[in-house]
Amino acid sequence: MQLTLEFGGGLELLCESVKIHNVNVDLEAGEEKLTMKDLLSWVRTNLIKERPEMFMKGDSVRPGVLVLVNDCDWELSGQLDTTLEEKDVVVFISTLHGG
Amino acid sequence: MEDNDGKQKKAGGRLCSICTQRKAALKRPKTLEQICRECFFDVFEEEIHKVIIDNQLFKSGERIAIGASGGKDSTVLAYVLSELNRRHNYGLDLFLLSVDEGITGYRDDSLETVKRNEVQYGLPLKVVSYKDLYGWTMDEIVKMIGLKNNCTFCGVFRRQALDRGAALLKVDKVATGHNADDIAETVLLNILRGDIARLGRCTSIITGEDGPIPRCKPFKYTYEKEIVMYAYFKKLDYFSTECIYSPNAYRGFAREFIKDLERIRPRAILDIIKSGEDFRISTTTKMPEQGTCERCGYISSQVCYIFSCLHI
Protein backbone atom coordinates (compact mmCIF):
# COMPACT_ATOMS: atom_id res chain seq x y z
CA MET A 1 0.00 0.00 0.00
CA GLN A 2 1.38 3.37 -1.03
CA LEU A 3 1.27 6.02 1.68
CA THR A 4 2.73 9.46 2.21
CA LEU A 5 4.10 10.03 5.69
CA GLU A 6 5.06 13.46 6.93
CA PHE A 7 7.05 14.23 10.08
CA GLY A 8 7.06 17.69 11.64
CA GLY A 9 7.62 19.70 14.80
CA GLY A 10 11.08 18.17 15.22
CA LEU A 11 10.12 14.50 14.64
CA GLU A 12 11.87 14.65 11.28
CA LEU A 13 15.14 14.69 13.23
CA LEU A 14 14.44 11.08 14.18
CA CYS A 15 14.33 10.03 10.52
CA GLU A 16 17.47 11.57 9.11
CA SER A 17 15.88 15.03 8.88
CA VAL A 18 13.64 13.95 6.00
CA LYS A 19 10.14 15.38 6.44
CA ILE A 20 8.20 13.63 3.69
CA HIS A 21 8.47 9.91 3.01
CA ASN A 22 6.65 8.18 0.17
CA VAL A 23 6.49 4.59 1.33
CA ASN A 24 5.13 1.24 0.38
CA VAL A 25 3.81 -0.74 3.33
CA ASP A 26 2.89 -4.37 2.81
CA LEU A 27 0.06 -6.00 4.70
CA GLU A 28 1.05 -8.73 7.12
CA ALA A 29 0.27 -12.21 5.81
CA GLY A 30 -3.33 -13.08 6.65
CA GLU A 31 -4.30 -9.45 7.37
CA GLU A 32 -6.93 -7.78 5.24
CA LYS A 33 -6.47 -4.21 6.24
CA LEU A 34 -3.76 -1.91 7.48
CA THR A 35 -4.48 -0.01 10.68
CA MET A 36 -2.61 2.89 12.29
CA LYS A 37 -1.39 0.42 14.88
CA ASP A 38 0.29 -1.61 12.13
CA LEU A 39 1.66 1.53 10.52
CA LEU A 40 3.22 2.78 13.77
CA SER A 41 5.16 -0.41 14.28
CA TRP A 42 6.22 -0.32 10.62
CA VAL A 43 7.43 3.28 11.02
CA ARG A 44 9.32 2.44 14.17
CA THR A 45 11.12 -0.43 12.45
CA ASN A 46 11.72 1.17 9.08
CA LEU A 47 11.94 4.94 9.41
CA ILE A 48 12.92 5.91 12.93
CA LYS A 49 16.70 5.90 13.08
CA GLU A 50 17.25 7.26 16.58
CA ARG A 51 15.55 7.91 19.94
CA PRO A 52 12.34 5.92 19.21
CA GLU A 53 11.09 6.90 22.69
CA MET A 54 10.60 10.43 21.33
CA PHE A 55 8.07 9.02 18.87
CA MET A 56 6.36 6.13 20.63
CA LYS A 57 5.24 5.14 24.09
CA GLY A 58 3.85 1.61 24.42
CA ASP A 59 2.12 0.72 21.17
CA SER A 60 0.95 4.26 20.42
CA VAL A 61 2.59 7.59 19.72
CA ARG A 62 4.07 9.41 22.65
CA PRO A 63 1.52 11.76 24.27
CA GLY A 64 2.05 15.18 22.73
CA VAL A 65 2.54 13.82 19.21
CA LEU A 66 -0.38 14.83 16.97
CA VAL A 67 -1.51 12.50 14.20
CA LEU A 68 -3.58 13.50 11.18
CA VAL A 69 -4.87 11.10 8.56
CA ASN A 70 -5.76 12.97 5.35
CA ASP A 71 -5.63 16.21 7.34
CA CYS A 72 -8.10 14.92 9.91
CA ASP A 73 -7.22 14.50 13.62
CA TRP A 74 -6.89 10.76 14.28
CA GLU A 75 -8.87 11.21 17.49
CA LEU A 76 -11.90 11.43 15.19
CA SER A 77 -11.16 8.26 13.28
CA GLY A 78 -10.40 5.81 16.07
CA GLN A 79 -6.69 6.49 16.71
CA LEU A 80 -4.85 3.12 16.57
CA ASP A 81 -7.88 1.43 14.96
CA THR A 82 -8.01 3.88 12.05
CA THR A 83 -7.95 1.87 8.82
CA LEU A 84 -5.66 3.15 6.09
CA GLU A 85 -6.29 3.12 2.38
CA GLU A 86 -4.19 3.43 -0.73
CA LYS A 87 -2.57 6.90 -1.12
CA ASP A 88 -3.55 8.11 2.34
CA VAL A 89 -1.46 10.90 3.83
CA VAL A 90 -0.46 10.49 7.48
CA VAL A 91 1.11 13.43 9.33
CA PHE A 92 2.93 13.20 12.68
CA ILE A 93 3.71 16.46 14.48
CA SER A 94 5.44 16.78 17.81
CA THR A 95 4.11 19.49 20.11
CA LEU A 96 6.92 18.93 22.57
CA HIS A 97 9.48 21.33 21.18
CA GLY A 98 10.09 24.84 22.42
CA GLY A 99 7.69 27.64 21.72
CA MET B 1 -12.59 11.87 -6.69
CA GLU B 2 -11.75 8.53 -5.11
CA ASP B 3 -9.63 10.28 -2.55
CA ASN B 4 -12.55 12.34 -1.35
CA ASP B 5 -14.65 9.23 -0.87
CA GLY B 6 -11.84 7.74 1.15
CA LYS B 7 -11.67 10.79 3.38
CA GLN B 8 -15.42 10.74 3.95
CA LYS B 9 -15.31 7.13 5.03
CA LYS B 10 -12.46 7.71 7.44
CA ALA B 11 -14.11 10.51 9.34
CA GLY B 12 -17.10 8.22 9.71
CA GLY B 13 -19.18 10.97 8.09
CA ARG B 14 -18.88 13.06 11.24
CA LEU B 15 -19.94 16.62 10.73
CA CYS B 16 -18.76 19.70 12.55
CA SER B 17 -20.78 20.17 15.73
CA ILE B 18 -20.77 23.95 15.26
CA CYS B 19 -21.76 24.51 11.61
CA THR B 20 -23.21 21.00 11.08
CA GLN B 21 -22.24 21.42 7.41
CA ARG B 22 -18.61 20.55 6.93
CA LYS B 23 -16.58 17.49 7.85
CA ALA B 24 -14.99 17.63 11.31
CA ALA B 25 -11.19 18.00 11.21
CA LEU B 26 -10.24 17.86 14.88
CA LYS B 27 -11.38 17.13 18.39
CA ARG B 28 -10.97 20.09 20.73
CA PRO B 29 -9.16 19.05 23.92
CA LYS B 30 -10.92 21.75 25.92
CA THR B 31 -14.49 20.82 25.05
CA LEU B 32 -14.19 17.46 23.23
CA GLU B 33 -16.24 19.02 20.42
CA GLN B 34 -15.59 17.73 16.91
CA ILE B 35 -15.26 20.69 14.61
CA CYS B 36 -14.25 21.58 11.07
CA ARG B 37 -11.21 23.59 10.11
CA GLU B 38 -13.10 26.84 9.41
CA CYS B 39 -15.07 26.76 12.68
CA PHE B 40 -11.83 25.89 14.49
CA PHE B 41 -10.12 29.02 13.14
CA ASP B 42 -13.12 31.07 14.34
CA VAL B 43 -13.38 29.66 17.86
CA PHE B 44 -9.61 29.60 18.34
CA GLU B 45 -9.20 33.27 17.41
CA GLU B 46 -12.35 34.50 19.13
CA GLU B 47 -11.54 32.71 22.40
CA ILE B 48 -8.20 34.51 22.47
CA HIS B 49 -9.98 37.77 21.68
CA LYS B 50 -12.31 37.14 24.62
CA VAL B 51 -9.36 36.44 26.95
CA ILE B 52 -7.74 39.71 25.81
CA ILE B 53 -10.92 41.71 26.38
CA ASP B 54 -12.03 40.06 29.65
CA ASN B 55 -8.59 40.52 31.19
CA GLN B 56 -7.97 43.95 29.65
CA LEU B 57 -4.58 42.84 28.39
CA PHE B 58 -4.16 45.83 26.07
CA LYS B 59 -5.30 49.45 25.78
CA SER B 60 -5.87 51.29 22.54
CA GLY B 61 -2.78 53.16 21.38
CA GLU B 62 -0.33 50.90 23.23
CA ARG B 63 2.92 49.64 21.73
CA ILE B 64 3.21 45.89 22.28
CA ALA B 65 6.26 43.68 21.76
CA ILE B 66 5.64 40.01 21.00
CA GLY B 67 8.44 37.90 22.45
CA ALA B 68 9.33 35.95 19.31
CA SER B 69 11.52 32.86 19.33
CA GLY B 70 10.54 31.53 15.90
CA GLY B 71 8.87 28.55 17.62
CA LYS B 72 5.24 27.50 17.27
CA ASP B 73 3.74 29.48 20.15
CA SER B 74 5.23 32.86 19.39
CA THR B 75 4.71 32.42 15.64
CA VAL B 76 1.01 31.68 16.15
CA LEU B 77 0.79 34.53 18.69
CA ALA B 78 2.27 37.02 16.22
CA TYR B 79 -0.11 35.85 13.49
CA VAL B 80 -3.25 35.85 15.67
CA LEU B 81 -2.49 39.15 17.42
CA SER B 82 -1.93 41.00 14.16
CA GLU B 83 -5.14 39.44 12.80
CA LEU B 84 -7.20 40.39 15.90
CA ASN B 85 -5.65 43.85 16.05
CA ARG B 86 -6.98 44.47 12.52
CA ARG B 87 -10.32 42.71 12.93
CA HIS B 88 -11.29 44.23 16.27
CA ASN B 89 -9.51 47.57 15.94
CA TYR B 90 -7.40 47.19 19.08
CA GLY B 91 -5.36 50.16 17.91
CA LEU B 92 -2.06 48.50 18.89
CA ASP B 93 1.39 49.02 17.41
CA LEU B 94 2.84 45.50 17.31
CA PHE B 95 6.54 44.59 17.22
CA LEU B 96 8.50 41.37 17.21
CA LEU B 97 11.21 41.16 19.88
CA SER B 98 13.78 38.37 19.75
CA VAL B 99 16.68 37.47 21.96
CA ASP B 100 19.81 36.10 20.34
CA GLU B 101 21.46 33.96 23.00
CA GLY B 102 24.34 33.13 20.67
CA ILE B 103 23.73 29.40 20.32
CA THR B 104 25.08 28.12 17.02
CA GLY B 105 22.83 25.64 15.23
CA TYR B 106 19.83 26.64 17.31
CA ARG B 107 19.15 30.32 17.74
CA ASP B 108 20.78 31.36 14.49
CA ASP B 109 18.36 29.09 12.59
CA SER B 110 15.29 30.10 14.58
CA LEU B 111 16.14 33.80 14.10
CA GLU B 112 15.94 33.21 10.36
CA THR B 113 12.33 32.08 10.94
CA VAL B 114 11.59 35.27 12.90
CA LYS B 115 13.09 37.34 10.09
CA ARG B 116 10.71 35.64 7.64
CA ASN B 117 7.81 36.30 10.05
CA GLU B 118 8.79 39.99 10.05
CA VAL B 119 8.14 40.09 6.31
CA GLN B 120 5.14 37.72 6.31
CA TYR B 121 3.20 39.59 9.00
CA GLY B 122 4.63 43.07 8.35
CA LEU B 123 5.73 43.52 11.97
CA PRO B 124 8.99 45.39 12.71
CA LEU B 125 11.60 43.16 14.38
CA LYS B 126 14.15 44.02 17.07
CA VAL B 127 16.85 41.52 17.99
CA VAL B 128 18.86 41.94 21.21
CA SER B 129 21.86 39.69 21.74
CA TYR B 130 23.62 38.39 24.84
CA LYS B 131 26.87 39.26 23.14
CA ASP B 132 25.93 42.95 22.84
CA LEU B 133 24.29 43.18 26.27
CA TYR B 134 26.69 41.12 28.34
CA GLY B 135 29.73 40.53 26.15
CA TRP B 136 29.19 36.77 26.19
CA THR B 137 27.36 34.36 23.87
CA MET B 138 25.81 31.22 25.39
CA ASP B 139 28.31 29.20 23.35
CA GLU B 140 31.13 31.02 25.16
CA ILE B 141 29.43 30.67 28.55
CA VAL B 142 28.97 26.93 28.10
CA LYS B 143 32.59 26.60 27.04
CA MET B 144 33.53 28.31 30.30
CA ILE B 145 31.11 26.83 32.85
CA GLY B 146 30.05 23.58 31.19
CA LEU B 147 26.52 22.21 31.01
CA LYS B 148 25.66 22.33 34.69
CA ASN B 149 24.09 25.70 35.47
CA ASN B 150 23.92 27.03 31.94
CA CYS B 151 20.09 27.11 31.85
CA THR B 152 20.03 29.27 35.00
CA PHE B 153 22.37 31.78 33.37
CA CYS B 154 20.43 31.74 30.17
CA GLY B 155 17.09 32.19 31.95
CA VAL B 156 18.28 35.19 33.96
CA PHE B 157 19.93 36.73 30.92
CA ARG B 158 16.88 36.21 28.72
CA ARG B 159 14.51 37.79 31.21
CA GLN B 160 16.66 40.88 31.38
CA ALA B 161 17.37 40.91 27.64
CA LEU B 162 13.63 40.96 26.89
CA ASP B 163 13.19 43.91 29.25
CA ARG B 164 16.10 45.77 27.69
CA GLY B 165 14.80 45.09 24.19
CA ALA B 166 11.32 46.21 25.24
CA ALA B 167 12.79 49.44 26.64
CA LEU B 168 14.65 50.07 23.37
CA LEU B 169 11.40 49.59 21.45
CA LYS B 170 9.64 51.87 23.97
CA VAL B 171 6.78 49.39 24.28
CA ASP B 172 4.13 49.42 27.01
CA LYS B 173 3.95 45.66 27.41
CA VAL B 174 5.48 42.39 26.25
CA ALA B 175 3.18 39.56 25.14
CA THR B 176 4.62 36.05 25.37
CA GLY B 177 3.46 32.77 23.84
CA HIS B 178 3.17 30.76 27.08
CA ASN B 179 0.28 28.35 26.56
CA ALA B 180 -2.03 26.45 28.93
CA ASP B 181 0.21 23.36 28.88
CA ASP B 182 3.27 25.49 29.78
CA ILE B 183 1.45 27.11 32.68
CA ALA B 184 0.09 23.79 34.03
CA GLU B 185 3.64 22.45 33.83
CA THR B 186 5.01 25.45 35.73
CA VAL B 187 2.34 25.14 38.46
CA LEU B 188 3.36 21.53 38.93
CA LEU B 189 7.09 22.35 38.93
CA ASN B 190 6.65 25.09 41.51
CA ILE B 191 4.77 22.65 43.76
CA LEU B 192 7.47 20.03 43.26
CA ARG B 193 10.14 22.59 44.17
CA GLY B 194 8.19 24.10 47.08
CA ASP B 195 8.53 27.46 45.38
CA ILE B 196 5.49 29.18 46.87
CA ALA B 197 6.40 32.67 45.68
CA ARG B 198 6.54 31.54 42.06
CA LEU B 199 3.48 29.33 42.48
CA GLY B 200 1.50 32.44 43.36
CA ARG B 201 2.81 34.41 40.38
CA CYS B 202 2.96 31.82 37.63
CA THR B 203 -0.76 31.68 36.86
CA SER B 204 -1.19 35.47 36.60
CA ILE B 205 -2.13 36.48 33.08
CA ILE B 206 -0.35 39.83 33.58
CA THR B 207 2.87 40.01 35.59
CA GLY B 208 5.37 42.71 36.47
CA GLU B 209 2.82 45.52 36.63
CA ASP B 210 4.88 47.13 39.35
CA GLY B 211 8.03 46.84 37.25
CA PRO B 212 9.14 48.83 34.21
CA ILE B 213 7.46 46.71 31.53
CA PRO B 214 4.57 44.34 32.32
CA ARG B 215 4.20 41.02 30.52
CA CYS B 216 1.06 39.20 29.50
CA LYS B 217 0.09 35.75 28.27
CA PRO B 218 -2.81 35.82 25.78
CA PHE B 219 -2.49 32.00 25.34
CA LYS B 220 -2.95 31.28 29.05
CA TYR B 221 -6.04 29.16 28.31
CA THR B 222 -4.97 27.94 24.86
CA TYR B 223 -4.03 24.28 24.50
CA GLU B 224 -0.75 23.42 22.86
CA LYS B 225 -2.54 20.89 20.66
CA GLU B 226 -4.73 23.64 19.22
CA ILE B 227 -1.76 25.98 18.68
CA VAL B 228 0.06 23.29 16.71
CA MET B 229 -3.09 22.32 14.77
CA TYR B 230 -3.70 25.99 13.97
CA ALA B 231 -0.12 26.43 12.74
CA TYR B 232 -0.42 23.25 10.68
CA PHE B 233 -3.76 24.09 9.04
CA LYS B 234 -2.68 27.69 8.37
CA LYS B 235 0.70 26.48 7.09
CA LEU B 236 2.52 28.93 9.35
CA ASP B 237 6.28 28.95 9.14
CA TYR B 238 7.83 27.99 12.48
CA PHE B 239 11.03 26.46 13.80
CA SER B 240 11.12 23.38 16.00
CA THR B 241 14.40 22.20 17.39
CA GLU B 242 15.20 21.66 21.02
CA CYS B 243 17.93 23.87 22.43
CA ILE B 244 21.19 21.95 22.17
CA TYR B 245 22.18 22.89 25.73
CA SER B 246 18.95 22.09 27.54
CA PRO B 247 18.64 18.63 29.02
CA ASN B 248 16.39 20.01 31.85
CA ALA B 249 15.23 16.58 32.94
CA TYR B 250 13.01 17.77 35.78
CA ARG B 251 10.89 20.01 33.56
CA GLY B 252 10.81 17.32 30.88
CA PHE B 253 9.40 14.90 33.41
CA ALA B 254 6.67 17.35 34.47
CA ARG B 255 5.85 17.96 30.81
CA GLU B 256 5.53 14.27 30.06
CA PHE B 257 3.31 13.79 33.12
CA ILE B 258 1.00 16.59 31.96
CA LYS B 259 0.78 15.08 28.48
CA ASP B 260 -0.05 11.66 29.96
CA LEU B 261 -2.81 13.24 32.05
CA GLU B 262 -4.12 15.12 29.03
CA ARG B 263 -4.49 11.90 27.09
CA ILE B 264 -6.70 10.44 29.82
CA ARG B 265 -8.59 13.62 30.61
CA PRO B 266 -7.82 16.73 28.57
CA ARG B 267 -9.52 19.03 31.09
CA ALA B 268 -6.66 18.23 33.51
CA ILE B 269 -4.60 21.07 32.03
CA LEU B 270 -7.18 23.76 32.76
CA ASP B 271 -7.87 22.21 36.16
CA ILE B 272 -4.20 22.36 37.18
CA ILE B 273 -4.16 26.06 36.20
CA LYS B 274 -7.30 26.58 38.26
CA SER B 275 -5.72 24.82 41.25
CA GLY B 276 -2.68 27.07 40.86
CA GLU B 277 -4.90 30.16 40.84
CA ASP B 278 -6.98 29.11 43.83
CA PHE B 279 -4.23 28.07 46.21
CA ARG B 280 -4.41 30.05 49.42
CA ILE B 281 -0.99 30.58 50.84
CA SER B 282 -0.81 30.78 54.61
CA THR B 283 0.21 34.23 55.80
CA THR B 284 2.93 32.72 57.95
CA THR B 285 4.72 31.35 54.89
CA LYS B 286 8.04 33.13 54.48
CA MET B 287 8.41 34.64 51.03
CA PRO B 288 11.84 35.25 49.57
CA GLU B 289 12.53 38.92 49.06
CA GLN B 290 13.33 39.91 45.51
CA GLY B 291 16.82 41.32 45.69
CA THR B 292 18.58 43.79 43.46
CA CYS B 293 21.89 43.07 41.81
CA GLU B 294 24.65 45.37 43.02
CA ARG B 295 26.39 45.25 39.68
CA CYS B 296 23.55 46.14 37.37
CA GLY B 297 20.69 47.18 39.63
CA TYR B 298 18.41 44.59 38.06
CA ILE B 299 15.83 42.70 40.14
CA SER B 300 17.21 39.26 40.86
CA SER B 301 18.91 37.30 43.54
CA GLN B 302 21.16 35.54 41.06
CA VAL B 303 22.68 38.06 38.73
CA CYS B 304 25.53 38.95 41.07
CA TYR B 305 26.53 35.35 41.35
CA ILE B 306 26.37 35.06 37.61
CA PHE B 307 28.34 38.23 37.04
CA SER B 308 31.05 37.27 39.50
CA CYS B 309 31.21 33.78 38.06
CA LEU B 310 31.76 35.14 34.57
CA HIS B 311 34.24 37.75 35.88
CA ILE B 312 32.34 40.50 34.10
Side-chain angles (χ1 to χ4, degrees), chain B residues 110-180:
Chain B
S110 59
L111 279 175
E112 289 308 311
T113 312
V114 184
K115 284 175 191 160
R116 287 197 299 275
N117 293 160
E118 175 184 23
V119 179
Q120 289 154 352
Y121 310 149
L123 302 177
L125 165 68
K126 171 84 192 160
V127 180
V128 284
S129 74
Y130 285 5
K131 185 73 179 172
D132 290 347
L133 293 178
Y134 315 112
W136 292 79
T137 65
M138 268 317 282
D139 285 342
E140 289 163 351
I141 292 175
V142 168
K143 215 176 263 170
M144 172 120 168
I145 66 162
L147 285 170
K148 200 152 171 246
N149 289 314
N150 60 305
C151 292
T152 313
F153 280 59
C154 195
V156 174
F157 279 176
R158 184 178 314 101
R159 176 157 194 87
Q160 187 178 144
L162 264 184
D163 277 343
R164 297 246 205 129
L168 288 170
L169 282 171
K170 298 188 171 61
V171 294
D172 301 289
K173 207 171 272 166
V174 175
T176 60
H178 294 103
N179 61 46

Side-chain angles (χ1 to χ4, degrees), chain A residues 16-57:
Chain A
E16 296 173 317
S17 295
V18 179
K19 285 197 173 199
I20 297 175
H21 299 252
N22 290 301
V23 300
N24 220 321
V25 181
D26 293 323
L27 287 172
E28 293 274 326
E31 292 287 334
E32 283 177 19
K33 51 187 188 177
L34 183 77
T35 63
M36 275 304 298
K37 189 173 181 204
D38 304 327
L39 180 68
L40 285 180
S41 79
W42 186 91
V43 167
R44 184 178 180 147
T45 314
N46 295 281
L47 291 182
I48 304 290
K49 303 290 184 211
E50 54 180 292
R51 293 176 290 162
E53 72 282 1
M54 300 289 285
F55 180 62
M56 288 185 71
K57 185 166 182 176

Side-chain angles (χ1 to χ4, degrees), chain B residues 156 292-298 300-312:
Chain B
V156 174
T292 314
C293 171
E294 288 171 13
R295 297 289 297 270
C296 63
Y298 194 77
S300 175
S301 48
Q302 286 162 311
V303 175
C304 283
Y305 150 72
I306 281 168
F307 272 60
S308 60
C309 193
L310 290 175
H311 310 291
I312 298 175

Side-chain angles (χ1 to χ4, degrees), chain B residues 46-58 90 205-206 221:
Chain B
E46 289 311 307
E47 272 183 18
I48 293 159
H49 171 60
K50 192 170 180 313
V51 168
I52 291 171
I53 298 302
D54 291 351
N55 296 279
Q56 303 175 336
L57 297 190
F58 309 119
Y90 290 168
I205 194 160
I206 303 178
Y221 302 103

